[in-house]
Amino acid sequence: MKDLLAARGAPTTWGAPPYRDQTIDADATAVRRLGRAGGVLAAKLAMVELAGGGGYRYPSASLQGPGRNPWDTERWSGGSSSGSGAAVAAGLVPFALGSETSGSIGTPSAYCGVTGLRPTYGLVSRHGAMALSWTLDKIGPMARSAADCSIALEAIAGPDASDATSAGRRYRPLDRRAARAAPKTVRIAFAEEDVADHASAEAKRALEKGVAELRRVAPRLVRETLPELPYGPAVGTVYAAEGATIFAELIEGPRFEELVDARQKAGLRASLDIRARDYLQAMRLRTKVSAAFADIFTRADVILSVGRTITATPITRPLDQPGRTASNPAPSRRPGNVALIAAGNLAGLPAIFFPCGLGTDGLPVGLQLVGPPFSEPLLVALADAYQNETDHHRRRPAAS
């Protein structure tokens, strides 16, 4: 479990020094449901403090230190579900739960070479989980394969009277016949510039190969792109404003300076002053984003893009000053769908992230598929079909 989920008898630190001694005498709904299904809680897993609320400059922004990547321990495992991605990749656990507000399942999945499933907003109860953003937070599984993610999601999804935002829906995978048929008929939206223009030198070849492999499994690719909208600033405004409200007592209290990352502390303080007008404009933009997705989904069933355009970054590299290099190319005039993580989270859409090979630096890269609300059965079937034809998800770091 990512350490923002409460588990009776275990510390729940939220990755932050002010909460290092916190225990919550109850199980989160997801913890309880996994226990009922026969799951055994092996560990609470490290995370970026407060799930990255306020933004942060270094991977070391955590009570437990930087999330180290099992493929290269001098590289980052990704945030904010750092421990969840690393533990699965290293073979320490068969699956783990992470959470995503805007990339916290997708980034560790891509950097660590594991499969991550971000559910539709409201499909999985957040009762007993630390809140960063009431309108964005989602809890989902990370595992070796899409099939394993499906097993975990089936156990944790479903209605919950303790979570007012619960969608009241359950998850069931497609039956075998439907799952076999889906890849041949599904229409997949893809913008080739996501790889051609945006991928780093290290990641590009493996991403190109991954797209070609997926195309052999699911051949009906069509070109569709999201409209140019300020997806990143909008999602940042929403979770900053909501997070500042949630953590206002900490921010204004005596233990605030115990937080590790100076940029995060500055961001949290500044978030207290976000104007209502800016927050409401960001929320209104979400209706445009949802409408844009709905329009694309009249011509395509799912959207394909890269998980991340780069491989895992060094744990010492500042995250807000990456510099422009071959490993981090300048933005293209063709944005394609590289804003899909931010856009998909604004719209509350499900996504599956899965590995598609290794970059020239030996580090994992991956793809993502995003679908309409509650399309998890289709997303799982597509990723599973890809994984039945490839072995990227079976690769292990040498250290593990």
Side-chain angles (χ1 to χ4, degrees):
M1 296 292 167
K2 182 176 181 178
D3 198 26
L4 54 61
L5 285 154
R8 192 186 306 272
T12 303
T13 71
W14 300 345
Y19 303 99
R20 68 172 70 243
D21 299 319
Q22 176 175 250
T23 58
I24 299 172
D25 191 29
D27 286 334
T29 296
V31 174
R32 186 179 70 253
R33 287 179 173 169
L34 282 171
R36 187 185 305 152
V40 176
L41 178 58
K44 300 295 288 296
L45 297 169
M47 56 181 281
V48 172
E49 57 186 354
L50 307 182
Y56 53 103
R57 190 165 193 240
Y58 289 104
S60 58
S62 172
L63 172 63
Q64 292 85 16
R68 294 183 180 269
N69 195 314
W71 292 87
D72 178 350
T73 56
E74 294 306 309
R75 302 290 185 119
W76 190 31
S77 62
S80 65
S81 306
S82 308
S84 300
V88 172
L92 302 177
V93 292
F95 76 95
L97 293 191
S99 70
E100 177 155 320
T101 303
S102 184
S104 293
I105 290 174
T107 298
S109 296
Y111 282 0
C112 294
V114 301
T115 305
L117 182 52
R118 180 188 79 214
T120 304
Y121 178 81
L123 181 64
V124 176
S125 171
R126 300 172 300 174
H127 176 68
M130 185 207 86
L132 172 60
S133 173
W134 297 293
T135 67
L136 290 167
D137 294 345
K138 295 160 289 291
I139 295 167
M142 302 164 71
R144 288 287 184 185
S145 67
D148 285 351
C149 283
S150 180
I151 293 169
L153 182 62
E154 191 167 7
I156 63 176
D160 183 13
S162 298
D163 183 352
T165 64
S166 173
R169 300 278 292 266
R170 298 188 184 278
Y171 164 78
R172 295 288 184 270
L174 296 180
D175 64 48
R176 187 172 299 177
R177 178 179 296 182
R180 283 201 304 265
K184 302 304 179 185
T185 59
V186 71
R187 300 165 299 169
I188 301 178
F190 177 64
E192 57 88 22
E193 60 265 32
D194 289 2
V195 178
D197 293 10
H198 294 276
S200 69
E202 295 87 353
K204 181 174 288 188
R205 185 180 302 173
L207 289 170
E208 289 173 340
K209 185 172 183 287
V211 171
E213 290 170 337
L214 182 65
R215 193 164 196 166
R216 287 195 289 272
V217 173
R220 296 187 63 189
L221 263 63
V222 297
R223 178 174 173 81
E224 293 287 346
T225 59
L226 290 163
E228 292 190 48
L229 294 170
Y231 302 103
V235 78
T237 297
V238 172
Y239 76 68
E242 294 180 0
T245 301
I246 290 164
F247 292 111
E249 185 176 348
L250 170 67
I251 298 168
E252 297 172 335
R255 303 199 67 180
F256 181 68
E257 289 302 326
E258 295 179 28
L259 293 177
V260 176
D261 193 275
R263 182 178 185 269
Q264 184 169 25
K265 287 186 282 189
L268 286 167
R269 288 192 193 96
S271 296
L272 288 175
D273 296 323
I274 291 175
R275 296 180 299 177
R277 182 175 69 180
D278 294 334
Y279 175 74
L280 292 172
Q281 285 177 337
M283 294 296 283
R284 291 190 187 104
L285 180 68
R286 297 177 75 171
T287 63
K288 294 184 179 180
V289 175
S290 294
F293 275 113
D295 179 59
I296 289 176
F297 290 136
T298 64
R299 297 178 298 276
D301 300 299
V302 298
I303 303 171
L304 168 68
S305 187
V306 298
R308 290 297 301 259
T309 58
I310 61 175
T311 56
T313 57
I315 59 173
T316 56
R317 179 181 296 173
L319 300 175
D320 57 347
Q321 294 182 356
R324 293 296 170 201
T325 66
S327 299
N328 185 45
S332 166
R333 292 183 179 179
R334 300 191 299 169
N337 293 318
V338 292
L340 194 56
I341 287 180
N345 277 288
L346 284 168
L349 299 180
I352 193 162
F353 302 85
F354 52 97
C356 68
L358 301 177
T360 56
D361 53 7
L363 297 171
V365 296
L367 300 171
Q368 66 168 307
L369 289 165
V370 173
F374 307 107
S375 62
E376 287 89 348
L378 175 59
L379 296 176
V380 166
L382 294 174
D384 186 55
Y386 176 82
Q387 291 179 335
N388 285 334
E389 298 297 324
T390 60
D391 66 352
H392 307 302
H393 63 294
R394 297 189 182 95
R395 294 185 179 184
R396 303 289 194 273
S400 68

